[in-house]
Amino acid sequence: QEVLGGDKLMAILKKRELKIYWGTATTGKPHVAYFVPVSKIADFLKAGCEVTILFADLHAYLDNMKAPWELLELRTHYYENVIKAMLESIGVPLEKLKFVRGTDYQLSKEYTLDVYRLSSVVTQHDAKKAGAEVVKQVEHPLLSGLLYPGLQALDEEYLEVDAQFGGVDQRKIFTFAEKYLPSLGYAKRVHLMNPMVPGLTGSKMSSSEEDSKIDLLDRKEDVKKKLKKAFCEPGNVENNGVLSFIKHVLFPLKSEFVVLREEKWGGNKTYTAYEVLEKDFAEQVVHPGDLKNSVEVALNKLLDPIREKFNSPELKKLTNAAYPNPSKAKPAEKGTKNSEPEDVVPSRLDIRVGKVISVEKHPDADSLYVEKIDVGEPEPRTVVSGLVQFVPKEQLQDRLVVLLCNLKPQKMRGVESQGMVLCASSVGEPRQVEPLDPPAGCCAGERVYVEGYEGGEPDDELKPKKKVFEKLQADFRVSEDCIAQWKQKNFLTKLGRVSCKSLKGGSIS
């Protein structure tokens, strides 16, 4: 998408082949968007470049401790295996690649001294700005997050490369490196950036947002389910993750894309230029359902060899060890009925940001509202809420709310309710109730998750007899600074924390 230092690149190529590196922090599980840089790495190799892949384990720890220190070795081993499997699945010869772990050289005396040298010239403002798009942003940032951009800059020197390749979200770190490496007497490098593929929900595909991504080890039924829910509005080519995946992954790999469809709709059609496919989709010649089905088939062909490799007992064991369930239920004692208790964890709840489109009084109940709420699905949901005596109708209209979406639908005085608006309630009398507030700027359909429980698929529908929500809801509270929490862990979206207006210390229901 963008090149910084193109003139320097051309000057190097007149003398010799380019030495380039791509780094990936070993945090969440790699997903299908990783095929974008991996397919470009294949291009670099075909062009004769010397390519180094850095498994940035120390960076993973520094980024708000996304990878705990005790899991660094395991996650790096997982990344090494999964990235190699991806490369093999698209026919990239591994013998042409050099693989390096960050801690192999980042803990050396020389590197450590350079970190200190760099910290003596870098301002706190520049360090924070450089990591804004990459390092997890929190209200009280850790010093480690400020060190992150400096280490990434020094990697260019210590890996002895001419250029660094990464996503366009790394641009601020790349310009930071160009500014500060010369201050240590090191050369300014070339920077090459690939575009970011929108996730299935329309925003950036992210390891921490389960609904936005397809994991490399997802089962075929999971791929089908996620693609079925993906944002792919007829004729809309903006923020369309399905189209973007075709453009940036499937087309470059095969130089064509086949839309599969029944004969009555015109039969299969092979596209050899992405622009023609995009034009046909914009003009609604290609239906979203056919596009999704075709991507599903093509994607499973890429994922099959990766799944097969990770089906071995050794790699299954590695996956479970590198990404343990954050809250495994303790096994029941011998002699009890439930020898294998279910995990009751927040990731089982399908909680989303919703936008209230309309609010009306229930025709048969004075205390109930009937709302139409957009949660990013083709049709808004009908939700019945007992908020009449607490929230004026005009305060609900057009506002963002937090909606629990996978309760079993139930009729409330004759109207079926398809969700629950989560609200904070005061502890004492008179009772006060306030709907929870997602962060400003959120979109309808964005996932709300509990800190530390970003992974995991929500249940399709919570079974009433299991009382999963009720067990979790017992530990829902509002903190003293009005943040919604479960066991003192914050409710979050990708834009920040979920809160309420004023009910400190209240309950949530």
Side-chain angles (χ1 to χ4, degrees), residues 196-212:
M196 305 305 294
V197 174
L200 302 180
T201 55
S203 56
K204 172 184 168 183
M205 196 175 289
S206 166
S207 293
S208 62
E209 190 183 350
E210 189 64 31
D211 285 346
S212 80

Side-chain angles (χ1 to χ4, degrees), residues 85 214-221 223 296 299-312:
I214 292 173
D215 279 333
L216 297 170
L217 300 181
D218 272 349
R219 300 170 304 165
K220 289 187 177 183
E221 51 265 42
V223 172
E296 180 188 338
L299 182 52
N300 278 320
K301 285 181 181 176
L302 286 178
L303 297 183
D304 277 342
I306 303 173
R307 294 185 188 117
E308 187 177 347
K309 181 174 181 178
F310 272 77
N311 204 31
S312 71

Side-chain angles (χ1 to χ4, degrees), residues 12 28 32 50 66 130 162 164 176 208 259 263 278 317 336 349 353 370 448 469 489 504:
I12 293 168
V32 295
E50 291 181 31
K66 282 183 182 176
D162 308 304
Q164 183 179 175
F176 172 93
S208 62
V259 173
E263 286 299 327
E278 186 179 275
K317 184 178 178 181
T336 60
L349 304 180
V353 174
V370 178
V448 177
F469 172 67
K489 295 181 182 294
K504 300 177 181 179

Side-chain angles (χ1 to χ4, degrees), residues 293 372 391 427 435 479 481:
N293 290 339
K372 294 288 186 183
V391 185
V427 177
S479 71
D481 51 355

